[in-house]
Amino acid sequence: MDKGNADYVYPSSKENVENAHRVAIPPPQPFFNSLKYNLKETFFPDDPLRLFKNKPASKKFILGLQYVFPIFEWAPRYSFQFLKADLIAGITIASLAIPQGISYAKLANLPPILGLYSSFVPPLVYAIMGSSKDLAVGTVAVASLLIASFLGQEVNYNENPKLYLHLAFTATFFAGVFQASLGLLRLGFIVDFLSHAAIVGFMGGAATVVCLQQLKGILGLEHFTHATDVMSVMHSIFSQTQRWRWESGVLGCGFLFFLLITRYFSKRKPKFFWISAMAPLTSVILGSLLVYLSHAERHGVQVIGYLKKGLNPPSFSDLVFVSPYLTTAIKTGIITGVIAMAEGIAVGRSFAMFKNYHIDGNKEMIAFGMMNIAGSCTSCYLTTGPFSRSAVNFNAGCKTAVSNIVMSMAVMVTLLFLTPLFHYTPLVVLSAIIMAAMLGLIDYEAVIHLFKVDKFDFIVCIGAYVGVVFGSIQIGLVIAISISVLRVLLFVARPRTSVLGNIPNSRIYRNIEHYPNANNVTGVLILKIDAPIYFANASYLRERIARWVEEEEDKLKASEESSLHYVILDMGAVGNIDTSGISMLEEVKKTLDRRELKLVLANPGAEVTKKLDKSKFIENMGQEWIYLTVGEAVTACNFRLHTCEPNPEKAESEPCDNVDICPDCCRAIDIITRNCWPAMLTSLGFTAEEGNILRGYCDVSSAPSLGGLVVIYHPQVSKVLA
């Protein structure tokens, strides 16, 4: 017997035989039950309420509290060993957060002290509500650049710094509201429209722009373009060559080289991760000492200057909810919120994978949203989970979100007592810190990987990169989203179809382009549709099926082989179908009928079968032309092709001459090896009497050769292959 039949189980009773191989119609479901199921699968695929089932009210309250505030889940199990690890990790990331916070605030054209404020309150909120053990919260360069770009178009931060600052707080507030709303409404899948390739290209482009803009600080320039495209930046640099400060250039290049060398060393020797983590703070300390001792500020080296001591002042009253700037704040908040949220969730999931625990994306959105809402009311601007800081936190051996609390406490001490020490910190050091961090965001290895694996993803990546570098942040973002959405639409509107062939010595059917050794079935064309059938692709599929049929007929005519009689559609990958898709199938059936071809369906899913039944398509087509598998459909078509007239109309009116039983009476057929009929019956447990009964229903001696013998199992045969 064929290898492909090894797993084939035949019915063993009369009732089962009569219904064997029929495609069952799903039982009808009440509309509201169906709606409830669909909504649950759309918005609650992880079924977050399953933990509350069959629990007493007190337990439900505790579980609900732990769900909203994960700290109540892991805090009771917290140990002294965890505290030691989190203390080390927290102090380590604080040493990175302080200089990066000041640097990124300058990048956003905000007062440097806001970078420290933003590393104090938001990490505390995330430690209570976040579900990641490894994410280190803080400001990020790309979000800072976006804020500077969007707000800078409406307000000049030099001319009206107060309004600019208030708009930054307002944008952060709306970013938090948007993030929390997505999480509460379970709409996190919207973020998935930013594909990985688009994010790689956008981040790389933004990093390139940021690096170029830091040449202002490296070269000691005071006046610089507000544009972000590479042409404007390069023109601004080379039109002021007489104003370049060699002192700043030497300092900047020296510290940049130091930062890059330490990062390279830490990558080569992961156990020395702390060297790279401490390098930014070390640069700040060394730069400040150098400027203080040499009075370099008198020779053109710009410094931070005065930083206000004290904790975050409240800023809720500074939020701007009036025109004409409200629209700008909302737009900036939503765009920066989406980018920051996508980066934070991706970083959190990547580190969770290493430690084998799960992160709930919707809960993370709520945590990000609440920390940004709280931050906007306490003089903070947009924060998320930056990769560089989280990587340091992970490598430092953090165990829980307490590392964020430790970092926050370290920043608090800095705000209360240490801010005067940053007075002499040169801006060129901050520029070097930003450039070193941004060079790590240009992931050329990911771009090479995209080129090797998926050329379309590579085009998406390059399109986003070019849009940011040669256009603007907004243009790059639009290109990234547009190309990503276009790809989704192309997948839906132009689904793949393929011709299937039989793998030798099996009942397996696969794409003949993928498996060149697969054999075409004489007189049968097997097509596979690899997507749901909707209004967007119905016309394309109708035309594509017609072209497959025409090409197959032309090929058969050219080779003078037997003509085409059956077209089998493998519906296994068709998860759903709408009314346009059903109309398309009806048109295909009519077209094939006019060509004297028969349409056969194989392996339709429950949702597809239900809709085909309700639309009367199955009734009009005939349920005997719908099969559970492609193998059964091919076997049935082969049997009809070799034992009776293939034309269905003729087959219904004329009896078969080659066998005793008309094939329309049969519900199951199989192909077995020729010349082994008696031995096969004995080996399968049939008695001689049962074999005679079976022979009575099937004239095996006159059955044609199909590379094997056609055997018919009639409904009246009570014992069949088991």
Side-chain angles (χ1 to χ4, degrees), residues 295-318:
H295 301 287
E297 75 277 9
R298 300 176 185 175
H299 302 282
V301 177
Q302 302 175 43
V303 297
I304 290 178
Y306 172 74
L307 287 181
K308 180 182 176 182
K309 289 175 65 175
L311 300 180
N312 306 33
S315 57
F316 180 76
S317 59
D318 296 334

Side-chain angles (χ1 to χ4, degrees), residues 513-644:
E513 294 183 359
H514 186 189
Y515 295 89
N517 63 327
N519 300 319
N520 289 318
V521 181
T522 305
V524 180
L525 174 63
I526 311 169
L527 301 176
K528 183 175 183 179
I529 301 173
D530 281 332
I533 304 177
Y534 294 123
F535 64 93
N537 59 27
S539 296
Y540 168 78
L541 287 174
R542 180 179 58 249
E543 295 168 1
R544 193 66 186 92
I545 292 171
R547 185 151 62 93
W548 279 122
V549 172
E550 291 174 358
E551 291 174 354
E552 182 69 12
E553 289 185 327
D554 292 342
K555 184 175 70 173
L556 292 175
K557 288 179 181 178
S559 60
E560 297 183 353
E561 296 180 8
S562 59
S563 59
L564 182 64
H565 296 285
Y566 298 99
V567 177
I568 299 175
L569 294 185
D570 181 1
M571 309 281 282
V574 181
N576 210 329
I577 190 170
D578 66 359
T579 53
S580 298
I582 296 172
S583 298
M584 181 274 293
L585 289 179
E586 292 173 344
E587 293 178 22
V588 168
K589 181 181 181 303
K590 292 178 181 177
T591 302
L592 295 179
D593 287 344
R594 286 194 294 269
R595 290 173 173 264
E596 295 188 351
L597 304 176
K598 189 62 185 177
L599 176 66
V600 183
L601 302 184
N603 196 23
E607 190 69 19
V608 174
T609 304
K610 181 176 67 175
K611 291 185 177 181
L612 293 179
D613 179 61
K614 288 184 177 181
S615 65
K616 305 298 183 182
F617 179 83
I618 292 180
E619 180 180 327
N620 295 333
M621 180 182 183
Q623 193 165 3
E624 69 274 10
W625 297 105
I626 304 178
Y627 294 87
L628 285 176
T629 67
V630 174
E632 292 182 5
V634 170
T635 308
C637 292
N638 262 332
F639 175 79
R640 295 173 185 272
L641 192 62
H642 290 84
T643 59
C644 59

Side-chain angles (χ1 to χ4, degrees), residues 315-356:
S315 57
F316 180 76
S317 59
D318 296 334
L319 301 181
V320 180
F321 296 119
V322 294
S323 297
Y325 302 109
L326 181 61
T327 304
T328 300
I330 293 175
K331 179 184 71 173
T332 305
I334 291 177
I335 294 175
T336 56
V338 169
I339 296 296
M341 182 171 57
E343 179 181 359
I345 292 176
V347 170
R349 283 177 173 167
S350 63
F351 288 113
M353 180 181 64
F354 287 118
K355 290 188 177 180
N356 196 28

